[in-house]
Amino acid sequence: MLACGRPGAFDGVRAFDDATRIALKPLDRSQVQRYLSAVGEQTALPSAVIDAIASRSDGVPLYLREMVRTAFAAIEEDGKAPEVGGVPDTLSGLLASRLEALGPALQVVQWISIVGRVAERALLARACFLEETELDQSLERAYETGVLYRNRRGSTEEIAFSHGLLRDAAYDTMLLPTRRERHLRIAETLEECFPEVARSEPERVAIQFAA
């Protein structure tokens, strides 16, 4: 079995006491350069932009992946790669710019972040006060940009963030009163519309009420 998690995620879990742990270190400069050089051939990224991304990434694969997505989007929309000045200095800045580019679809992404890393589409549809057409359009936009992806678990359609840090970034775009209102809405929706889930997973309801 393979399990992935951030540092400390499995501390205190006895099932993992005898597991072999492999720490994934940041990419070194040569690995970053090889990756960006290969990508640059496909995106026609200027060497100055490649150097800027390499120096600001700190070897974080997520930063590199998201920056490449941004470059592809810029080329598709504007016909040219981003300038050096358009390369965000930090991962948080990059994620924030990705979310801002969603436009109206950001509202749906925010609702999903209230539920967690993964949310059932049926729960989202009941809770977020959007018409089905608007919900579908927003989800499609988020799928296209790689912020979200869909998954099916049995008969349940689930929507998940492509990375936990994107979920955190989306959650941080909301003011505290808005978060509390939406957590309460999710909790009440679980109790009223999905009583079987509320009974079998009471911790989900408790987390929403406590937030």
Side-chain angles (χ1 to χ4, degrees):
M1 180 178 70
L2 175 66
C4 302
R6 299 179 188 178
F10 304 115
D11 291 351
V13 182
R14 295 184 61 185
F16 291 96
D17 286 348
D18 298 324
T20 299
R21 301 195 178 207
I22 302 174
L24 299 179
K25 299 179 180 179
L27 301 177
D28 62 34
R29 182 79 177 193
S30 64
Q31 291 171 322
V32 170
Q33 287 288 3
R34 286 202 305 272
Y35 173 77
L36 290 174
S37 295
V39 170
E41 295 176 0
Q42 303 174 33
T43 60
L45 285 176
S47 58
V49 173
I50 290 178
D51 290 341
I53 295 173
S55 64
R56 298 174 191 181
S57 69
D58 290 327
V60 179
L62 178 62
Y63 181 98
L64 294 171
R65 188 192 73 181
E66 294 302 315
M67 204 48 243
V68 168
R69 286 183 183 275
T70 300
F72 271 119
I75 292 171
E76 289 179 358
E77 294 178 10
D78 305 327
K80 60 180 182 179
E83 302 293 336
V84 173
V87 179
D89 291 325
T90 63
L91 177 58
S92 60
L94 177 56
L95 297 180
S97 66
R98 282 283 309 283
L99 293 172
E100 288 172 6
L102 290 172
L106 175 59
Q107 181 182 176
V108 170
V109 173
Q110 289 173 330
W111 273 103
I112 296 170
S113 75
I114 291 291
V115 180
R117 175 79 183 270
V118 180
E120 299 90 343
R121 190 194 180 286
L123 172 59
L124 188 63
R126 291 273 190 163
C128 72
F129 304 109
L130 292 177
E131 297 292 336
E132 284 288 324
T133 301
E134 186 178 358
L135 175 60
D136 287 338
Q137 290 175 343
S138 295
L139 288 173
E140 285 302 321
R141 171 64 177 163
Y143 296 146
E144 290 170 0
T145 58
V147 172
L148 302 175
Y149 68 91
R150 72 185 98 203
N151 185 42
R152 184 165 293 279
R153 182 165 55 89
S155 60
T156 302
E157 182 180 348
E158 295 180 332
I159 304 162
F161 283 93
S162 59
H163 197 283
L165 291 179
L166 276 169
R167 183 265 171 185
D168 295 345
Y171 191 80
D172 289 342
T173 61
M174 295 175 284
L175 297 175
L176 183 57
T178 300
R179 292 182 199 168
R180 287 176 173 168
E181 290 175 3
R182 293 182 177 182
H183 276 296
L184 179 60
R185 172 66 178 172
I186 293 296
E188 292 175 342
T189 302
L190 283 169
E191 288 189 327
E192 296 170 7
C193 303
F194 303 92
E196 69 286 353
V197 175
R199 285 193 298 270
S200 63
E201 301 177 66
E203 68 280 2
R204 290 188 63 184
V205 180
I207 288 171
Q208 295 297 328
F209 275 126

